[in-house]
Amino acid sequence: MKKKFFLGANWKMNATPAAALVAGSPYHATDPTVVVFPMVTEIEKCKKAGLTVGAQCGHAKASGAFTGDIPMQTLKDLGCTYVLCGHSERRQYHGETDDSVAEQVIAASTLGLIPILCIGEKADERAAGKTHDVLKRQLSCLLSHSQFSIINSQFLIAYEPVWAISGGDPNKPAATTEDAESAHRFIRSLLPKELQSTPILYGGSMKASNAKELLAQPNIDGGLIGGASLKPEDFGTIVEAAA
Ligand code: PGA
């Protein structure tokens, strides 16, 4: 059976590309499943343009003294279907921890928002040979959560090695296909039997030139794409590779 890939366009703190709002754009593709992650202020505009939309982050609590945060329910009310949980930039710049990220995943699932758990090792952790330890630690917080049983097939994981994230540099190399596939295989080995078919996306400098090879790996089920997703032509090539 042909695999249906999932591509997330993570636009981070950048304006929505105008071409994405035009009907029939590659961002509107349904096979592969394409989901855009705009700035929160542009969610409504993207919804109106007929795009499937996700949020870049959401708070686990329903309300309270959390200046600047947005609860999962509000994201859902705005029309989001998906939410990224624990992107490395949220962990790095906003102090999100394995515990708080696990709470986000549970909160999203409880409300019927589809969480995408982002995990991945930093450069120094990789250099120290700790990639597997880090992935295991980041996942185990969720796997051991008292409400873990709420997680069902509506759940995705994004493996994003922090050292491969482009940060806007289009020449940054991605992980090699061998390294990416090996990390994905390891992540899958940590999942319980009933979640073996969880889509595991690769993120970190996926672009027009390497998408096809990465997506050909048996344990890579799609991509979470930052820099290249802001360039409609490049993103179109990735969508074609996935189709
Ligand atoms: P990148 O970003 O494709 O620009 O490396 C991926 C991400 O951070 O989700």
Side-chain angles (χ1 to χ4, degrees), residues 53-237:
V53 180
Q56 297 177 10
C57 63
H59 201 284
K61 292 267 191 327
S63 62
F66 302 103
T67 303
D69 277 310
I70 301 183
M72 297 289 179
Q73 182 63 55
T74 303
L75 297 172
K76 195 172 178 211
D77 294 344
L78 284 170
C80 290
T81 310
Y82 294 82
V83 60
L84 301 181
C85 299
H87 188 282
S88 60
E89 286 147 19
R90 299 291 307 170
R91 295 177 190 256
Q92 184 179 354
Y93 303 123
H94 296 268
E96 294 189 1
T97 62
D98 295 336
D99 284 316
S100 69
V101 171
E103 294 299 337
Q104 291 167 32
V105 172
I106 299 293
S109 286
T110 307
L111 293 169
L113 262 178
I114 304 174
I116 303 180
L117 170 68
C118 303
I119 57 175
E121 79 287 1
K122 297 188 206 125
D124 58 330
E125 293 166 333
R126 177 178 188 241
K130 292 195 173 137
T131 298
H132 284 189
D133 294 345
V134 171
L135 297 176
K136 205 166 176 177
R137 192 203 72 221
Q138 290 178 325
L139 249 183
S140 64
C141 246
L142 178 64
L143 299 181
S144 61
H145 194 284
S146 60
Q147 287 167 273
F148 178 69
S149 58
I150 192 138
I151 304 293
N152 53 29
S153 58
Q154 301 283 71
F155 168 62
L156 297 88
I157 293 175
Y159 169 61
E160 299 206 299
V162 181
W163 48 270
I165 291 180
S166 76
D169 173 2
N171 299 316
K172 184 107 174 241
T176 63
T177 43
E178 294 76 20
D179 282 354
E181 167 62 15
S182 146
H184 282 230
R185 202 180 321 117
F186 177 70
I187 292 166
R188 203 176 301 286
S189 78
L190 299 173
L191 295 174
K193 231 188 325 169
E194 62 279 12
L195 292 181
Q196 278 303 306
S197 53
T198 297
I200 305 178
L201 318 176
Y202 172 79
S205 298
M206 185 183 270
K207 47 196 147 201
S209 58
N210 61 19
K212 201 163 190 163
E213 206 185 329
L214 284 162
L215 295 172
Q217 305 305 307
N219 283 288
I220 299 185
D221 306 308
L224 185 56
I225 303 136
S229 75
L230 287 162
K231 299 179 195 150
E233 206 174 302
D234 291 13
F235 190 68
T237 304

Side-chain angles (χ1 to χ4, degrees), residues 18-36 46-52 235 239:
L21 301 172
V22 179
S25 81
Y27 301 89
H28 288 82
T30 52
D31 186 4
T33 300
V34 173
V35 179
V36 301
C46 291
K47 281 296 294 175
K48 276 202 185 118
L51 296 162
T52 304
F235 190 68
V239 170

